[in-house]
Amino acid sequence: MSEQPSAEPGAEVLAAFEAAKGFMPVGEGLALYAAAAEAGKLGLPLLEVGTYCGRSTILLADAARRAGTVAVTVDHHRGSEEQQPGWEYHDPTVVDPEVGVMDTLPTFRRTLRKAGLEEHVIAVVGRSPQAAKVWGGELGLVFVDGGHTDEHATNDYEGWAPKVAPGGLLVIHDVFPDPADGGQAPYRIYLRALESGDFEEVSVTDSLRVLRRLPA
């Protein structure tokens, strides 16, 4: 049973989001939630590429819960390039001491449990291109926030953008037109989406871009 959709998360969900480990600022999180609430009206799954520890998953899961659908989150949970040892975003608390590599899956599961949203999420543990190849249905929303190299961003775009249903939303994070502000791979797939003629821009909130798939 779905609830009346809301463009804003409740206080408890917002508090869980703010408490979760991750990098998304609150303003961009609120924009993501509004997009998920709108896309949820299509009754289709809401999917994100790049789970990390579940900060943004909380928002998608609550929007999916309200809409009577489900959030799907895809990640291998070994960390992206900039999260490896010696890099800016490395966090030693999410390294598996037994094998010596990153493993954000346990933290992610705790994040969802604390937020009370486990049952509204399907966690796909694996590589995005492999998951995209076996995903057969349409999606109400695709949120691209995975690896930020050209290879990974391109794979995420090519694998998942075609699965956005007409009227559904493609959301891309860390879009920086100015190279001085950040990496350019997400910006390049954002431009590619617009140039394809398949998407129109809906909103811009800092580095978060929301695009809608046009009717065929």
Side-chain angles (χ1 to χ4, degrees):
M1 179 70 68
S2 62
E3 297 180 12
Q4 187 68 24
S6 172
E8 295 184 359
E12 291 185 1
V13 171
L14 185 57
F17 165 79
E18 291 185 286
K21 187 186 294 291
F23 309 105
M24 176 172 279
V26 172
E28 292 179 344
L30 292 175
L32 174 64
Y33 191 93
E38 178 183 343
K41 297 174 185 177
L42 296 175
L44 296 168
L46 312 176
L47 181 140
E48 74 172 343
V49 182
T51 314
Y52 191 52
C53 295
R55 185 175 171 95
S56 56
T57 315
I58 290 172
L59 303 178
L60 297 182
D62 188 66
R65 176 190 67 79
R66 290 189 176 204
T69 183
V70 66
V72 181
T73 185
V74 181
D75 199 311
H76 49 67
H77 288 280
R78 294 303 190 193
S80 56
E81 299 79 11
E82 66 273 14
Q83 294 162 358
Q84 300 307 318
W87 290 82
E88 180 180 1
Y89 294 103
H90 180 62
D91 183 347
T93 67
V94 291
V95 172
D96 182 335
E98 184 171 334
V99 296
V101 297
M102 288 188 65
D103 185 2
T104 56
L105 183 58
T107 305
F108 161 68
R109 297 200 68 175
R110 287 193 293 269
T111 296
L112 284 188
R113 185 171 183 82
K114 288 177 183 176
L117 292 167
E118 282 184 296
E119 65 183 283
H120 305 287
V121 177
I122 297 172
V124 178
V125 181
R127 303 279 171 177
S128 169
Q130 294 173 311
K133 284 180 181 178
V134 299
W135 184 276
E138 292 185 319
L139 296 161
L141 177 142
V142 167
F143 175 43
V144 178
D145 193 23
H148 286 17
T149 64
D150 278 305
E151 176 187 3
H152 290 131
T154 297
N155 285 341
D156 292 342
Y157 174 77
E158 292 181 351
W160 294 107
K163 302 180 188 300
V164 178
L169 300 178
L170 172 66
V171 184
I172 305 174
H173 194 214
D174 293 329
V175 174
F176 298 112
D178 185 346
D181 294 329
Q184 294 291 284
Y187 179 56
R188 282 190 274 270
I189 63 168
Y190 157 76
L191 292 179
R192 184 174 171 184
L194 290 177
E195 292 165 358
S196 72
D198 295 329
F199 295 91
E200 64 178 1
E201 189 165 82
V202 175
S203 70
V204 175
T205 304
D206 298 327
S207 76
L208 193 82
R209 302 293 190 273
V210 180
L211 311 175
R212 178 179 288 109
R213 177 174 282 283
L214 298 169

